[in-house]
Amino acid sequence: RGAGIVAVDVEGTLLQGGFMSPGRPGSRQAVDSLAKRIPLVYLQTGETNLRAVRAWLAQNEYADAPLLPWDGGNLFDDLAKKGLKIRAVVGGPAVIESAFRHKPQAFSFEPMKGATRLKSWNELEGSLK
């Protein structure tokens, strides 16, 4: 309760080039660093099932953290009801828009009003100190 968490949209931010790739350059190291300092949850937002996303995260050695279905943004309301503060969201436009009412810091690799545009994962590490 009261913990500020960072939600990371797996399909919208980590994946680049599909499930056969190791992920967006620098993402594993940045996520590992964040997970050591801030509670982290991964979001499953696409059509891929949870088991496949979980297997990809493990295969590519991403930090261990819960993987939860985004469910069109209902997840953020559920987390808030449990007393968790959504500190930051890293994701695509739909994910970020669904979290706005919880007033998190928002980061995206796509241009979006109300979100900090990231060119690399290293920029995120500096923004969430």
Side-chain angles (χ1 to χ4, degrees):
R1 285 193 155 286
I5 63 169
V6 175
V8 177
D9 169 5
V10 174
E11 289 103 326
T13 63
L14 300 178
L15 277 171
Q16 184 176 31
F19 279 94
M20 297 308 290
S21 82
R24 192 180 294 266
S27 60
R28 188 179 56 78
Q29 296 84 354
V31 169
D32 286 351
S33 176
L34 281 174
K36 289 176 183 165
R37 298 179 292 133
I38 304 168
L40 178 80
V41 296
Y42 295 112
L43 305 177
Q44 177 262 340
T45 58
E47 299 297 317
T48 309
N49 69 45
L50 279 170
R51 189 175 316 183
V53 175
R54 190 173 287 121
W56 182 84
L57 289 166
Q59 176 184 350
N60 290 286
E61 301 177 350
Y62 279 86
D64 193 31
L67 172 65
L68 306 171
W70 169 61
D71 192 22
N74 292 327
L75 173 67
F76 296 121
D77 295 333
D78 293 344
L79 292 173
K81 285 177 189 169
K82 291 179 180 178
L84 297 169
K85 178 178 176 6
I86 315 304
R87 177 175 173 184
V89 176
V90 185
V95 172
I96 290 172
E97 286 174 13
S98 72
F100 272 153
R101 79 163 120 203
H102 300 285
K103 298 179 177 69
Q105 285 183 277
F107 302 92
S108 182
F109 287 92
E110 301 173 45
M112 182 182 174
K113 186 176 182 178
T116 300
R117 171 107 189 255
L118 300 172
K119 293 181 185 133
S120 74
W121 274 93
N122 292 339
E123 292 176 344
L124 178 68
E125 286 187 90
S127 299
L128 279 174
K129 289 196 174 197

